[in-house]
């Protein structure tokens, strides 16, 4: 089902949804071009899962309309279901079965012929780095392995669109980067992905476009560069022990990291916006400060987080 002729794979107009007194979605519009990754970024309770469930036909909107792969999610829900994959925050796989058994079972649930389910399961295990672990029971898997198995299960039917609801929440950094690699692989093959996340760096790593959602409304959207640009990007920050050396530290830092540092008012802190994210900037700053005989209490690379984006956009933290 790849190579669908839709320029826009996901299209939502003024989607609204309430749960009794809670407004979960308050008029959301969305356009996701075919073959791209859209990152829906927002804190807990923002409405991410509600939107995903509506787009995946598991929940009806109160009003508004959405089309996925050219089909209406309410009136043509069945047709949509055949074209999508969904992986939630909590693994849907059976702990007592092996990875391979799980995938074969899912294949049968999707009505794949037995032989095809078997072949597909083997191919997916291979592709997600689980070939060796395939015959172990899932209860022995790490968090990252489980999540990859879960994503593999949602790909048994070659969906045109994949919804990933907080694919790395709760994972350790190593498992997280394994899941990121798996997602990047899918994207290279042309799958359109909508992923939700609470992490700016995750959206930055994976998404072509990011929408920031807060209390059921999209409050900003743009490329990762645009969004990070609006919060100032990566900064090198140092805290100087002796306040009389602040000026000297600014000079040293200016040359070392090729930026225009400023002193944070009322603090012994200097902040410099830098290009790129390299740790070598820190090394250069340390060397330059050391050469100038300046003692620091702290020196760090600060990447903007969802909190920074929120503070900037809404004036409040998440
Ligand atoms: N089944 C439900 N019944 C009542 N309120 C709900 C239900 N599901 C979600 N909510 C509420 O709707 C809002 C949005 O929730 P959700 O879509 O799960 O956000 P997110 O996935 O961004 O954390 C929250 O205030 C949440 O408490
Ligand atoms: Mg959620």
């Amino acid at each position: 089902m790849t190579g669908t002729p839709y320029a826009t794979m996901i299209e939502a107009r003024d989607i609204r949804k309430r749960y009794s007194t809670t407004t979960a979605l308050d008029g959301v519009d969305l356009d996701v071009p075919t073959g791209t990754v859209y990152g829906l970024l927002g804190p807990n309770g923002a409405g991410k899962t509600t939107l995903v469930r509506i787009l995946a036909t598991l929940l009806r909107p109160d009003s508004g309309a959405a089309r996925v792969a050219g089909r209406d999610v309410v009136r043509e829900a069945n047709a949509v279901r055949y074209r999508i994959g969904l992986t939630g925050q909590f693994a849907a796989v059976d702990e007592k079965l092996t990875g391979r058994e799980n995938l074969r079972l899912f294949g049968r649930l999707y009505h794949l012929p037995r032989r095809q389910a078997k072949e597909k399961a083997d191919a997916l295990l291979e592709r997600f780095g689980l070939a060796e672990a395939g015959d172990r029971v899932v209860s022995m898997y790490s968090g990252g392995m489980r999540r990859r198995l879960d994503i593999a299960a949602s790909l048994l039917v070659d969906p045109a669109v994949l919804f990933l609801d907080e694919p790395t929440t709760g994972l350790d950094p190593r498992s997280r980067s394994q899941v990121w690699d798996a997602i990047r692989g899918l994207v290279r093959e042309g799958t359109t992905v909508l992923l939700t996340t609470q992490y700016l760096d995750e959206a930055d790593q994976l998404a072509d476009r990011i929408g920031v959602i807060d209390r059921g409304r999209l409050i900003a959207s743009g490329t990762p560069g645009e969004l990070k640009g609006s919060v100032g990007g990566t900064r090198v920050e140092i805290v100087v022990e002796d306040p009389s050396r602040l000026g000297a530290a600014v000079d040293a830092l200016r040359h070392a990291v090729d930026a225009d540092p400023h002193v944070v008012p009322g603090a012994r802190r200097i902040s410099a916006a830098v290009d790129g994210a390299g740790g070598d900037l820190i090394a250069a700053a340390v060397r330059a400060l050391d050469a100038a005989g300046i003692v620091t209490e702290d020196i760090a690379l600060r990447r903007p987080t969802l909190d920074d984006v929120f503070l900037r956009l809404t004036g409040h933290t998440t």
Side-chain angles (χ1 to χ4, degrees), residues 42-316:
N44 239 331
K48 303 182 297 295
T49 297
T50 301
L51 184 59
V52 165
R53 289 176 61 83
I54 287 171
L55 295 173
T57 78
L58 300 174
L59 193 65
R60 282 175 82 116
D62 297 337
S63 65
R67 297 178 82 77
V68 171
R71 272 79 172 181
D72 187 282
V73 296
V74 175
R75 282 180 288 112
E76 300 167 286
N78 263 321
V80 170
R81 269 173 222 145
Y82 279 110
R83 290 166 174 79
I84 64 172
L86 169 66
T87 303
Q89 192 177 332
F90 304 100
V93 291
D94 187 332
E95 300 244 321
K96 294 186 290 297
L97 301 180
T98 68
R100 201 177 307 276
E101 286 163 349
N102 264 290
L103 291 185
R104 286 182 189 173
L105 183 68
F106 273 100
R108 299 293 289 159
L109 290 176
Y110 288 129
H111 307 297
L112 294 184
R114 190 177 301 276
R115 189 197 155 101
Q116 205 183 328
K118 185 171 175 297
E119 287 172 1
K120 205 76 210 232
D122 293 346
L124 283 166
L125 288 170
E126 186 71 41
R127 174 162 157 200
F128 284 93
L130 295 169
E132 291 208 0
D135 296 314
R136 266 182 264 155
V137 289
V138 169
S139 58
M140 309 285 283
Y141 282 22
S142 70
M145 291 163 77
R146 271 175 215 224
R147 207 62 64 86
R148 279 181 284 151
L149 184 66
D150 224 27
I151 296 174
S154 66
L155 293 172
L156 280 158
V157 287
D158 292 326
V161 185
L162 183 61
F163 295 101
L164 297 170
D165 194 12
E166 300 202 22
T168 68
T169 295
L171 296 186
D172 59 78
R174 181 153 167 270
S175 302
R176 220 169 153 222
S177 72
Q178 290 174 340
V179 171
W180 284 359
D181 284 343
I183 296 170
R184 286 195 190 99
L186 296 176
V187 173
R188 272 197 299 276
E189 287 165 30
T191 309
T192 305
V193 175
L194 187 151
L195 70 93
T196 77
T197 182
Q198 302 191 34
Y199 310 117
L200 179 59
D201 66 329
E202 177 158 284
D204 181 28
Q205 285 283 323
L206 299 172
D208 297 297
R209 286 190 76 78
I210 297 173
V212 181
I213 186 167
D214 181 34
R215 301 174 196 176
R217 285 173 187 269
L218 280 177
I219 57 170
S221 67
T223 64
E226 286 165 355
L227 215 63
K228 283 189 302 175
S230 76
V231 291
T234 304
R235 296 189 307 278
V236 170
E237 293 205 342
I238 68 164
V239 177
V240 177
E241 194 185 68
D242 176 1
S244 74
R245 304 299 313 277
L246 274 168
V250 165
D251 287 338
L253 206 59
R254 178 177 293 122
H255 297 296
V257 301
D258 189 24
D260 195 17
H262 68 272
V263 177
V264 178
R268 287 173 288 130
R269 182 183 298 272
I270 295 169
S271 176
V274 292
D275 284 336
D280 47 343
L281 285 170
I282 291 290
V286 168
R287 277 196 303 272
L289 292 163
D290 208 35
I294 294 161
V295 182
T296 56
E297 273 175 19
D298 189 30
I299 177 155
L301 201 62
R302 284 257 304 139
R303 293 188 179 85
T305 63
L306 176 60
D307 260 325
D308 298 321
V309 173
F310 257 70
L311 202 57
R312 165 83 196 188
L313 292 170
T314 67
H316 63 83

